[in-house]
Amino acid sequence: MRFTYVNTTQILFGKGQIGSVQSSISTQDKILVIYGGGSIKKNGVYDQIKESLKNHQWIEFSGVEANPTKETLDKAVEIVKQQNIDFILAVGGGSVIDGSKYVAAAAKYNGDGWDILTGDHQVSDATPLGAVLTLPATGSESNSGAVITKAATQAKLSFMSPYVQPKFAVMDPDVMKTLPEKQLINGIVDAWVHVCEQYLTISHGAMVQDGYAETLLRTLKTLGENFEQRDTDEWRENLMWAANQALNGLIGSGVPQDWATHLIGHELTALWGVDHARSLAIVQPSLLRNQLSLKRSKLEQMGVNVFGLKPSENLAEKTIDAIERFYHTMQVSTQLTEHGDNKQEAIDAVIAQLKQHGMNALGEHQAITLEASRQILTEAIA
Ligand code: NZQ
Ligand code: ZN
């Protein structure tokens, strides 16, 4: 183990914390509030922000879509540049927060912001930002990553930079009250796969990372099993905190990571608009079966410590079945059906995108070649 770890985001967790925005941003700063399609106007979050910012100077930018596009966000980049914005407040789910990170970084760059996603521009400055989370799932509120889509080419790519790490994250579980059931389930699945990407690799003996990952997985499993309790404070608090901890950098420190499920899943979202979490449930079981020989010992550990399975010769296989059953009990499909009726064309389209984006060797062993991805997709696409 050799790593550097820091998480500089101040977490403001609990009921009523939206009011803390007031003291978290200087009244000298000119603020751009960025939000999505309007859910915050219906559930009172917008009014709370307005109240909290009554002594600040602020303007707003709305309309950031789920799976945010460069095309939409570039309009906000122009506003930040022209209006000399000092601080960005992102109010929404992962899409709004990711989108705001792109805006923050692109506003300090004179070229095309997409260069940040292709790696042609290395971020070296960004407008400071804070987040008010309305959908627990991605962990974006306290990490340095963002995933952005270029609609023109159906490319969904990510970037990471410490410059876009939010200064603070307001996490008031009450905002979850208006989330559709589908989004609550997406939150469980996305957070679950985030833990798996950092845990289901090789046996490395890092007991703290493994142990905490297993705690998070057991928590998420319990929340899924107790879905009928979703209208309680306790259920909401546990999901919001678990989803945050799943991708704030801690459990992945000093251990190998996978991320192949995400990278293949992103292509399904880019091509067919599949919800992010649902793209993961489609890819992951087939990917784990494909990589079984490399992941066997960790799957066995998960089977015992997360699912309470008894040691047996085919324990790893049973663990993958249990993961798949977990998705099915939440009515989450593990097969793609959104592609129409030409399976071969769909597989070819995903492979072409992966190739285009340089995804030729994925996973902790770089063992997921395009040929392996093709085998995985053959199982994952209906
Ligand atoms: O746009 P509005 O009207 O706000 O509606 C949103 C949106 O339609 C709605 N919503 C959010 N909060 C709500 C609410 N509706 C009612 N009540 C509330 N309190 O939910 C819909 C989905 O929102 P979105 O932000 O798209 O969902 P999510 O948080 O799952 O974010 C997904 C995006 O995050 C990226 C994904 O690729 C995807 O683009 N990811 C970001 C990561 C990161 N930065 O670390 C990691 C993840 O793996 C992921 O890739
Ligand atoms: Zn994810």
Side-chain angles (χ1 to χ4, degrees):
M1 263 197 270
R2 185 172 186 277
F3 61 88
T4 303
Y5 175 73
V6 65
N7 190 309
T8 52
T9 303
Q10 180 183 36
I11 303 288
L12 299 154
F13 194 99
K15 282 176 193 280
Q17 285 281 25
I18 296 176
S20 307
V21 166
Q22 182 171 10
S23 52
S24 300
I25 311 174
S26 161
T27 47
Q28 305 298 311
D29 283 353
K30 189 170 176 190
I31 305 166
L32 178 65
V33 175
I34 299 184
Y35 59 98
S39 69
I40 66 164
K41 288 242 165 132
K42 292 188 206 120
N43 61 12
V45 171
Y46 182 86
D47 292 335
Q48 291 182 66
I49 298 287
K50 211 168 143 185
E51 173 63 24
S52 204
L53 292 181
K54 65 178 180 218
N55 297 321
H56 287 76
Q57 200 196 345
W58 61 284
I59 54 174
E60 60 184 63
F61 179 84
S62 65
V64 175
E65 58 278 77
N67 305 304
T69 64
K70 160 217 179 341
E71 285 86 349
T72 297
L73 299 167
D74 280 341
K75 295 176 195 155
V77 173
E78 275 317 298
I79 296 174
V80 174
K81 284 181 175 171
Q82 278 168 16
Q83 309 257 347
N84 298 317
I85 294 295
D86 303 300
F87 197 92
I88 293 171
L89 183 64
V91 186
S95 294
V96 167
I97 303 173
D98 283 9
S100 298
K101 290 174 178 176
Y102 170 88
V103 173
K108 299 282 184 187
Y109 173 55
N110 283 329
D112 179 359
W114 190 247
D115 293 346
I116 297 167
L117 281 301
T118 57
D120 291 322
H121 171 66
Q122 210 57 45
V123 177
S124 57
D125 194 10
T127 306
L129 78 153
V132 176
L133 183 67
T134 66
L135 194 176
T138 63
S140 183
E141 67 278 6
S142 74
N143 69 35
S144 59
V147 190
I148 308 296
T149 298
K150 185 173 183 177
T153 53
Q154 288 184 305
K156 187 174 170 78
L157 301 179
S158 64
F159 79 96
M160 290 185 85
S161 165
Y163 292 97
V164 299
Q165 176 93 25
K167 304 290 172 210
F168 62 83
V170 174
M171 303 175 65
D172 176 348
D174 271 356
V175 303
M176 296 165 65
K177 287 179 180 170
T178 53
L179 276 170
E181 280 180 21
K182 183 177 117 162
Q183 296 295 351
L184 289 173
I185 291 169
N186 284 354
I188 297 174
V189 173
D190 193 19
W192 171 273
V193 179
H194 291 160
V195 180
C196 291
E197 299 274 29
Q198 301 164 88
Y199 166 79
L200 273 181
T201 56
I202 56 166
S203 289
H204 44 58
M207 293 164 72
V208 173
Q209 290 89 328
D210 274 0
Y212 195 25
E214 287 162 1
T215 296
L216 292 171
L217 290 170
R218 282 192 301 269
T219 301
L220 292 163
K221 180 169 161 286
T222 303
L223 294 171
E225 287 164 356
N226 298 343
F227 194 67
E228 77 286 352
Q229 291 170 22
R230 63 191 171 279
D231 263 330
T232 63
D233 288 341
E234 192 176 302
W235 195 95
R236 284 192 283 261
E237 287 163 355
N238 280 313
L239 178 57
M240 198 172 238
W241 190 228
N244 174 273
Q245 296 293 293
L247 196 50
N248 71 346
L250 181 62
I251 60 168
S253 292
V255 298
Q257 302 188 17
D258 181 342
W259 296 106
T261 295
H262 269 72
L263 294 169
I264 299 172
H266 284 169
E267 305 297 359
L268 305 185
T269 300
L271 288 169
W272 296 288
V274 184
D275 284 359
H276 170 65
R278 286 164 202 262
S279 78
L280 306 176
I282 288 166
V283 175
Q284 193 202 31
S286 301
L287 185 144
L288 293 175
R289 291 191 178 103
N290 183 271
Q291 296 291 299
L292 189 66
S293 60
L294 295 170
K295 291 182 183 286
R296 182 173 290 280
S297 71
K298 218 48 189 289
L299 281 162
E300 289 173 348
Q301 184 179 332
M302 181 174 177
V304 173
N305 293 345
V306 177
F307 288 104
L309 299 173
K310 299 251 170 335
S312 68
E313 212 174 294
N314 54 358
L315 177 56
E317 287 84 346
K318 283 186 181 156
T319 303
I320 301 172
D321 293 345
I323 294 172
E324 190 160 38
R325 257 198 318 278
F326 177 51
Y327 297 148
H328 290 167
T329 58
M330 295 185 287
Q331 322 302 329
V332 174
S333 173
T334 49
Q335 283 234 301
L336 180 80
T337 50
E338 284 87 338
H339 59 286
D341 46 19
N342 196 329
K343 175 170 173 168
Q344 204 47 52
E345 244 175 47
I347 295 172
D348 290 343
V350 180
I351 296 294
Q353 291 274 76
L354 286 169
K355 204 170 173 179
Q356 167 95 30
H357 301 142
M359 307 293 176
N360 305 315
L362 306 177
E364 70 278 9
H365 296 280
Q366 310 255 283
I368 305 178
T369 57
L370 288 175
E371 192 38 47
S373 287
R374 185 176 283 283
Q375 290 162 11
I376 291 163
L377 291 162
T378 303
E379 298 303 317
I381 296 183

